[in-house]
């Protein structure tokens, strides 16, 4: 009988206890793709710093999706509601915290204060009817972003 080294046994046990990896977003969805929650540099509440934190939403479907009335919220209840907006097939939109002029690829919450906590938070994307579309959570100060 061959015995495994203790490190191999521990690694194997950790893998079994952790369970299977979370599945990637299925093709054909509108989903949260990335949260950049700790803007680069000092948090000085400048518009540049505020716009350094953002959430990217991706449409991996083959059709355009109307996001009008959809909401993006954090755990504290800060809410951004999409105005008239259509996300084209295969495209992404970045929702920035600060002020700016909306385009087809970037929209702005028009806020003067940060939304996303630098240590932990949860982004929630809901359809216009209030039904849950996607969530993405993070709990780390070691990196500034989370790929969802």
């Amino acid at each position: 009988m061959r015995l495994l080294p203790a490190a191999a046994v521990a690694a194997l046990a950790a893998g079994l206890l952790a369970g299977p990896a979370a599945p990637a977003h299925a093709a054909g969805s509108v989903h949260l793709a990335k949260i950049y929650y700790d803007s680069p540099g000092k948090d000085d509440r400048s518009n540049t710093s505020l716009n350094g934190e953002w959430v990217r939403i991706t449409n991996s479907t083959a059709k355009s999706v109307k996001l009008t009335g959809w909401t993006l919220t954090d755990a504290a209840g800060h809410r951004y509601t999409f105005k008239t907006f259509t996300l084209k097939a295969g495209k992404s939109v970045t929702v920035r915290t600060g002020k700016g002029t909306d385009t087809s690829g970037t929209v702005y919450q028009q806020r003067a204060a940060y939304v996303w906590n630098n240590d932990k938070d949860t982004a929630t994307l809901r359809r216009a009817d209030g039904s849950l579309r996607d969530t993405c959570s993070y709990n780390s100060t070691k990196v500034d972003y989370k790929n969802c």
Side-chain angles (χ1 to χ4, degrees):
M1 177 176 186
R2 185 172 173 201
L3 298 176
L4 292 173
V9 172
L12 179 61
L16 291 175
L17 294 175
H25 286 288
S29 68
V30 174
H31 58 269
L32 298 166
K34 186 172 187 175
I35 304 171
Y36 205 107
Y37 55 85
D38 188 5
S39 61
K42 185 178 178 181
D43 287 346
D44 60 6
R45 291 178 73 147
S46 68
N47 196 51
T48 299
S49 181
L50 290 166
N51 281 329
E53 67 171 30
W54 47 263
V55 175
R56 181 162 297 133
I57 300 168
T58 298
N59 176 3
S60 62
T61 71
K63 296 182 179 180
S64 295
V65 176
K66 187 175 178 181
L67 297 185
T68 305
W70 285 42
T71 60
L72 174 66
T73 57
D74 72 341
H78 297 101
R79 178 182 314 273
Y80 172 76
T81 303
F82 280 88
K83 300 175 201 108
T84 302
F85 190 87
T86 299
L87 185 56
K88 293 184 178 180
K91 299 295 182 180
S92 295
V93 62
T94 300
V95 181
R96 296 191 181 270
T97 298
K99 298 177 182 179
T101 302
D102 294 349
T103 67
S104 62
T106 305
V107 295
Y108 297 85
Q109 295 192 47
Q110 308 296 342
R111 294 181 182 273
Y114 298 97
V115 170
W116 306 103
N117 297 329
N118 288 352
D119 56 353
K120 63 182 175 180
D121 212 335
T122 299
T124 301
L125 181 64
R126 293 188 180 275
R127 295 178 189 93
D129 66 6
S131 62
L132 179 65
R133 180 63 208 109
D134 198 13
T135 63
C136 181
S137 298
Y138 58 89
N139 186 6
S140 176
T141 57
K142 295 181 181 183
V143 294
D144 299 331
Y145 63 90
K146 164 78 179 209
N147 290 314
C148 303

